[in-house]
Amino acid sequence: MKKIFVKYGKQEHLQQIVDGSLRFSPSQNYVKMEELLHNKGQGDLLEGKMLLQIEGGQLYDPETNELRGILPKCRILINIQDVNNMPVFCLSSYSISVDNMLSLEHEHLDSIKSDFPDATHALIIQSPDTFIEDVKSIIGHKIVSDHIRYYDYSINTMQMYMYLTTGYEKIVHNSSMTYDNRYRHLLCKDISFSNQKEYRFIITDELIEKPAFYDFHFNSPYKILPIDELYRNIILE
């Protein structure tokens, strides 16, 4: 089935993308959105972090094997080195019908408008493969991209930990997380965000502290429409 990308936002910001200027934000911005603005949806306190559900445990000295403490049942939130400042660009990915029709459920669009209250318009990118190639051609940077994987953060999901260590969900032994692959933490989110159907680009060779614009060539067919027009079926080229 064919795919398209949709970016929600203000019309002038979406036009900037078409004009060849792409705004990446450090992933910590999404943490701050929920932390300071209480906007869970566009914001996410767990962005780029690993959450462990501990049923209990014992801590031993690695040299003497002496018992040092007891862990009660708890949740442990782990920050990953240099992930908070990795540049990120996000949009949504949808399937379209064989007759090139985009049809979104009203409940889905309602949730999008709730998560992104400032969004007035939608940029429909009709050739995702072309757009991916365009973004990855940004001069001087290494960029990875993929669909977000959604996991249940209320449990320790082995498939998620396998993806973080190996890039695949198949369970294997003796796998470990590496610094070079730390970006995978930005490709995992809690299932509560699954309605966003997110596709994400991550710049892996640069760290930023505030949003930055990157020049690129936009070559995909597109439409910019008021967001409310998506409540009806949209015929694409």
mmCIF file of all heavy atoms in Angstrom, residues 69-88:
data_model
loop_
_atom_site.group_PDB
_atom_site.id
_atom_site.type_symbol
_atom_site.label_atom_id
_atom_site.label_comp_id
_atom_site.label_asym_id
_atom_site.label_seq_id
_atom_site.Cartn_x
_atom_site.Cartn_y
_atom_site.Cartn_z
ATOM 1 N N GLY A 69 22.743 -3.490 49.407
ATOM 2 C CA GLY A 69 21.428 -2.891 49.578
ATOM 3 C C GLY A 69 20.346 -3.708 48.899
ATOM 4 O O GLY A 69 20.618 -4.625 48.122
ATOM 5 N N ILE A 70 19.112 -3.336 49.205
ATOM 6 C CA ILE A 70 17.943 -3.992 48.647
ATOM 7 C C ILE A 70 17.127 -2.965 47.856
ATOM 8 O O ILE A 70 16.869 -1.857 48.349
ATOM 9 C CB ILE A 70 17.057 -4.597 49.749
ATOM 10 C CG1 ILE A 70 17.858 -5.581 50.605
ATOM 11 C CG2 ILE A 70 15.836 -5.279 49.135
ATOM 12 C CD1 ILE A 70 18.305 -6.821 49.878
ATOM 13 N N LEU A 71 16.753 -3.321 46.637
ATOM 14 C CA LEU A 71 15.914 -2.447 45.830
ATOM 15 C C LEU A 71 14.449 -2.842 46.004
ATOM 16 O O LEU A 71 14.100 -4.011 45.810
ATOM 17 C CB LEU A 71 16.275 -2.562 44.345
ATOM 18 C CG LEU A 71 17.465 -1.754 43.824
ATOM 19 C CD1 LEU A 71 17.680 -2.077 42.352
ATOM 20 C CD2 LEU A 71 17.221 -0.271 43.999
ATOM 21 N N PRO A 72 13.588 -1.898 46.377
ATOM 22 C CA PRO A 72 12.157 -2.201 46.433
ATOM 23 C C PRO A 72 11.567 -2.179 45.023
ATOM 24 O O PRO A 72 12.253 -1.845 44.055
ATOM 25 C CB PRO A 72 11.595 -1.048 47.267
ATOM 26 C CG PRO A 72 12.505 0.096 46.933
ATOM 27 C CD PRO A 72 13.880 -0.511 46.750
ATOM 28 N N LYS A 73 10.308 -2.520 44.894
ATOM 29 C CA LYS A 73 9.619 -2.393 43.616
ATOM 30 C C LYS A 73 9.602 -0.911 43.245
ATOM 31 O O LYS A 73 9.183 -0.065 44.042
ATOM 32 C CB LYS A 73 8.197 -2.930 43.716
ATOM 33 C CG LYS A 73 7.431 -2.878 42.408
ATOM 34 C CD LYS A 73 6.044 -3.487 42.558
ATOM 35 C CE LYS A 73 5.285 -3.421 41.240
ATOM 36 N NZ LYS A 73 3.936 -4.052 41.343
ATOM 37 N N CYS A 74 10.072 -0.589 42.045
ATOM 38 C CA CYS A 74 10.186 0.829 41.669
ATOM 39 C C CYS A 74 10.317 0.966 40.156
ATOM 40 O O CYS A 74 10.436 -0.017 39.431
ATOM 41 C CB CYS A 74 11.398 1.473 42.354
ATOM 42 S SG CYS A 74 12.976 0.695 41.914
ATOM 43 N N ARG A 75 10.277 2.219 39.703
ATOM 44 C CA ARG A 75 10.514 2.560 38.304
ATOM 45 C C ARG A 75 11.812 3.361 38.239
ATOM 46 O O ARG A 75 11.987 4.332 38.978
ATOM 47 C CB ARG A 75 9.367 3.380 37.727
ATOM 48 C CG ARG A 75 8.015 2.717 37.828
ATOM 49 C CD ARG A 75 6.914 3.680 37.429
ATOM 50 N NE ARG A 75 6.829 3.849 35.994
ATOM 51 C CZ ARG A 75 6.295 4.907 35.402
ATOM 52 N NH1 ARG A 75 5.855 5.932 36.125
ATOM 53 N NH2 ARG A 75 6.212 4.971 34.091
ATOM 54 N N ILE A 76 12.703 2.975 37.356
ATOM 55 C CA ILE A 76 13.989 3.658 37.202
ATOM 56 C C ILE A 76 14.035 4.294 35.817
ATOM 57 O O ILE A 76 13.850 3.616 34.803
ATOM 58 C CB ILE A 76 15.165 2.684 37.382
ATOM 59 C CG1 ILE A 76 15.163 2.096 38.792
ATOM 60 C CG2 ILE A 76 16.485 3.396 37.105
ATOM 61 C CD1 ILE A 76 16.261 1.082 39.021
ATOM 62 N N LEU A 77 14.265 5.602 35.787
ATOM 63 C CA LEU A 77 14.345 6.343 34.530
ATOM 64 C C LEU A 77 15.811 6.623 34.223
ATOM 65 O O LEU A 77 16.509 7.250 35.019
ATOM 66 C CB LEU A 77 13.557 7.649 34.628
ATOM 67 C CG LEU A 77 13.333 8.427 33.327
ATOM 68 C CD1 LEU A 77 12.539 7.592 32.339
ATOM 69 C CD2 LEU A 77 12.626 9.735 33.618
ATOM 70 N N ILE A 78 16.270 6.150 33.076
ATOM 71 C CA ILE A 78 17.679 6.259 32.707
ATOM 72 C C ILE A 78 17.838 7.256 31.569
ATOM 73 O O ILE A 78 17.195 7.138 30.521
ATOM 74 C CB ILE A 78 18.234 4.886 32.281
ATOM 75 C CG1 ILE A 78 18.106 3.887 33.431
ATOM 76 C CG2 ILE A 78 19.690 5.010 31.838
ATOM 77 C CD1 ILE A 78 18.503 2.470 33.048
ATOM 78 N N ASN A 79 18.680 8.266 31.790
ATOM 79 C CA ASN A 79 19.026 9.220 30.734
ATOM 80 C C ASN A 79 20.190 8.667 29.918
ATOM 81 O O ASN A 79 21.162 8.149 30.486
ATOM 82 C CB ASN A 79 19.417 10.574 31.340
ATOM 83 C CG ASN A 79 18.235 11.332 31.886
ATOM 84 O OD1 ASN A 79 17.330 11.695 31.163
ATOM 85 N ND2 ASN A 79 18.221 11.549 33.192
ATOM 86 N N ILE A 80 20.100 8.793 28.612
ATOM 87 C CA ILE A 80 21.124 8.256 27.724
ATOM 88 C C ILE A 80 22.050 9.392 27.283
ATOM 89 O O ILE A 80 21.592 10.454 26.873
ATOM 90 C CB ILE A 80 20.491 7.582 26.499
ATOM 91 C CG1 ILE A 80 19.399 6.597 26.933
ATOM 92 C CG2 ILE A 80 21.553 6.880 25.661
ATOM 93 C CD1 ILE A 80 19.861 5.504 27.863
ATOM 94 N N GLN A 81 23.350 9.159 27.363
ATOM 95 C CA GLN A 81 24.340 10.196 27.076
ATOM 96 C C GLN A 81 24.165 10.799 25.678
ATOM 97 O O GLN A 81 24.044 10.082 24.698
ATOM 98 C CB GLN A 81 25.752 9.612 27.202
ATOM 99 C CG GLN A 81 26.865 10.629 26.966
ATOM 100 C CD GLN A 81 28.242 9.997 27.071
ATOM 101 O OE1 GLN A 81 28.365 8.808 27.301
ATOM 102 N NE2 GLN A 81 29.274 10.813 26.900
ATOM 103 N N ASP A 82 24.130 12.140 25.640
ATOM 104 C CA ASP A 82 24.116 12.915 24.391
ATOM 105 C C ASP A 82 22.891 12.660 23.508
ATOM 106 O O ASP A 82 22.920 12.979 22.323
ATOM 107 C CB ASP A 82 25.392 12.644 23.565
ATOM 108 C CG ASP A 82 26.626 13.241 24.194
ATOM 109 O OD1 ASP A 82 26.477 14.180 24.999
ATOM 110 O OD2 ASP A 82 27.735 12.770 23.893
ATOM 111 N N VAL A 83 21.821 12.139 24.068
ATOM 112 C CA VAL A 83 20.601 11.949 23.290
ATOM 113 C C VAL A 83 19.727 13.195 23.333
ATOM 114 O O VAL A 83 19.101 13.570 22.333
ATOM 115 C CB VAL A 83 19.817 10.711 23.777
ATOM 116 C CG1 VAL A 83 18.396 10.708 23.250
ATOM 117 C CG2 VAL A 83 20.524 9.440 23.337
ATOM 118 N N ASN A 84 19.685 13.877 24.477
ATOM 119 C CA ASN A 84 18.799 15.036 24.636
ATOM 120 C C ASN A 84 19.068 16.156 23.648
ATOM 121 O O ASN A 84 18.191 16.984 23.397
ATOM 122 C CB ASN A 84 18.895 15.596 26.054
ATOM 123 C CG ASN A 84 18.103 14.771 27.053
ATOM 124 O OD1 ASN A 84 17.320 13.917 26.670
ATOM 125 N ND2 ASN A 84 18.321 15.031 28.326
ATOM 126 N N ASN A 85 20.275 16.214 23.088
ATOM 127 C CA ASN A 85 20.628 17.306 22.191
ATOM 128 C C ASN A 85 20.773 16.873 20.735
ATOM 129 O O ASN A 85 21.286 17.628 19.907
ATOM 130 C CB ASN A 85 21.911 17.993 22.663
ATOM 131 C CG ASN A 85 21.747 18.666 24.008
ATOM 132 O OD1 ASN A 85 22.107 18.105 25.035
ATOM 133 N ND2 ASN A 85 21.158 19.847 24.021
ATOM 134 N N MET A 86 20.296 15.679 20.423
ATOM 135 C CA MET A 86 20.323 15.247 19.030
ATOM 136 C C MET A 86 19.198 15.944 18.260
ATOM 137 O O MET A 86 18.063 16.012 18.739
ATOM 138 C CB MET A 86 20.183 13.726 18.936
ATOM 139 C CG MET A 86 21.322 12.968 19.598
ATOM 140 S SD MET A 86 21.220 11.172 19.345
ATOM 141 C CE MET A 86 21.968 11.044 17.716
ATOM 142 N N PRO A 87 19.472 16.488 17.073
ATOM 143 C CA PRO A 87 18.440 17.177 16.294
ATOM 144 C C PRO A 87 17.421 16.192 15.716
ATOM 145 O O PRO A 87 17.798 15.159 15.152
ATOM 146 C CB PRO A 87 19.240 17.858 15.173
ATOM 147 C CG PRO A 87 20.668 17.859 15.643
ATOM 148 C CD PRO A 87 20.806 16.625 16.465
ATOM 149 N N VAL A 88 16.140 16.544 15.858
ATOM 150 C CA VAL A 88 15.054 15.659 15.459
ATOM 151 C C VAL A 88 14.036 16.434 14.622
ATOM 152 O O VAL A 88 13.722 17.586 14.920
ATOM 153 C CB VAL A 88 14.360 15.073 16.714
ATOM 154 C CG1 VAL A 88 13.086 14.345 16.351
ATOM 155 C CG2 VAL A 88 15.307 14.144 17.472
#
